[in-house]
Every structure is written in structure tokens, then in C-alpha cells.
Amino acid sequence: MQRKKTTLSAKEVAVQLLSRRDHGEFELRQKLKLKEFSEQDIQQALEYCIGYGWMDDVRYAKSQIRQHVFKGHGKRRIQQELMLKRVTEDDIEQAFNEEPQDWFELAKQTAFKKFKGQKAQDQKAYAKQIRFLQYRGFDFEQIHYALSSFECDDE
């Protein structure tokens, strides 16, 4: 005996997706497109979710910031990820203002966790530490602060 497949509307699918976790508008739109809803149905579903406050790009960006900070990522990397997810610059800026971080201390913690507080033994090792922190999204001032903290502990 086969079950009859239930057909959900775009609104229902959107609400189901948002009940699991926050999604940005672009991300939710893509997921609804994959389910082959019409552009009109998708737009109505997004407006419905925004209208009830179930979807909010600033809240989504703040959630992403917290997740990335937990992973030891810097502001640059987080901004880049949010831009890829098509969150507007204004929403990103607002989210960063509402989720303030000490990027210098985060860079220091990230470096300490990775390198166990060990000062680089030569230029090649130092360059490797710099590249690691750059990839994580920290700027040069933050990297210098983080790595110079090793030197202070050594002396």
C-alpha cells in the first residue's frame, strides 16, 4: 500500500525550513526554487515569512557571525561568507554592530589554539602562521597582535 504524497505550498515549505534554523532570504529562495515552485509563489512565501518576522536577514547574519566566531573566524572571512549568501552590506553592518567582538582577542585565541603559544622558529614558520590567520579572516594588525603575544610570553 503506497502512501499518497502530500503536496505542500511554498509558504508551508518555507515555514518548515525556517522552523529548523534561520535562513537568509537568498538561501530560502534557492531552496524553494529547487522544489520547483513558481517565482510568484516563492515571492509570496518570502513576503509572508518576512511579514510574520519568521525570516530576517539581520537576525540570520547575527546567527552566522556567532557561529563563525565560535569557529575562530575573523571579520573579513565572515563578511565574505555573508556576501556569498547575498546578505546586503547594510544588514551585515547592522549585524556586526549588534554582535560586537574583540577581533584582536579572537585572533590571539585562534592563534594560541592552533600554535599552542609557540613562537615561530624561523621566517617560514612565521609566514605559515600569518597565512593561517589571514585565511581565517583576520587583518594584519590583528595578526601582529596575536603573534606578538607569543613573543611576550617567551621572554
Side-chain angles (χ1 to χ4, degrees):
M1 192 170 160
Q2 261 186 321
R3 279 191 185 174
K4 189 177 181 183
K5 187 177 176 184
T6 58
T7 325
L8 300 175
S9 71
K11 285 180 188 175
E12 292 167 325
V13 171
V15 171
Q16 275 186 352
L17 290 167
L18 289 169
S19 72
R20 292 185 195 118
R21 71 167 176 87
D22 264 333
H23 289 70
E25 185 175 343
F26 174 75
E27 184 181 39
L28 191 57
R29 179 181 298 278
Q30 294 306 106
K31 287 188 175 191
L32 293 174
K33 278 183 182 179
L34 285 174
K35 299 208 181 275
E36 299 180 355
F37 288 109
S38 73
E39 195 56 46
Q40 182 182 358
D41 287 345
I42 292 171
Q43 191 57 41
Q44 287 175 349
L46 295 177
E47 288 170 7
Y48 176 79
C49 292
I50 291 169
Y52 280 98
W54 297 331
M55 184 175 66
D56 178 355
D57 272 0
V58 173
R59 186 178 63 226
Y60 171 72
K62 287 166 52 176
S63 166
Q64 292 294 301
I65 291 169
R66 286 189 300 273
Q67 287 178 29
H68 281 279
V69 165
F70 182 75
K71 293 176 186 175
H73 295 165
K75 187 173 184 176
R76 286 180 172 176
R77 172 130 179 220
I78 298 168
Q79 282 174 312
Q80 188 177 27
E81 296 279 336
L82 289 170
M83 295 295 272
L84 286 173
K85 294 181 179 184
R86 308 248 177 110
V87 177
T88 67
E89 286 185 40
D90 289 342
D91 287 346
I92 293 171
E93 187 177 329
Q94 183 181 344
F96 274 119
N97 289 336
E98 292 178 15
E99 285 291 325
Q101 302 297 323
D102 185 339
W103 301 108
F104 288 90
E105 283 303 312
L106 183 61
K108 184 177 171 181
Q109 290 169 9
T110 302
F112 192 84
K113 186 176 178 182
K114 174 71 174 177
F115 304 113
K116 314 285 188 257
Q118 297 295 313
K119 183 179 172 186
Q121 297 302 311
D122 56 26
Q123 276 305 115
K124 187 176 178 184
Y126 185 67
K128 184 177 180 181
Q129 290 179 341
I130 290 173
R131 279 193 310 276
F132 171 78
L133 291 170
Q134 281 177 324
Y135 173 74
R136 284 298 185 102
F138 296 103
D139 67 29
F140 191 73
E141 286 180 38
Q142 295 159 353
I143 292 169
H144 180 70
Y145 173 82
L147 297 180
S148 66
S149 70
F150 295 167
E151 295 166 24
C152 296
D153 295 342
D154 258 5
E155 294 172 5

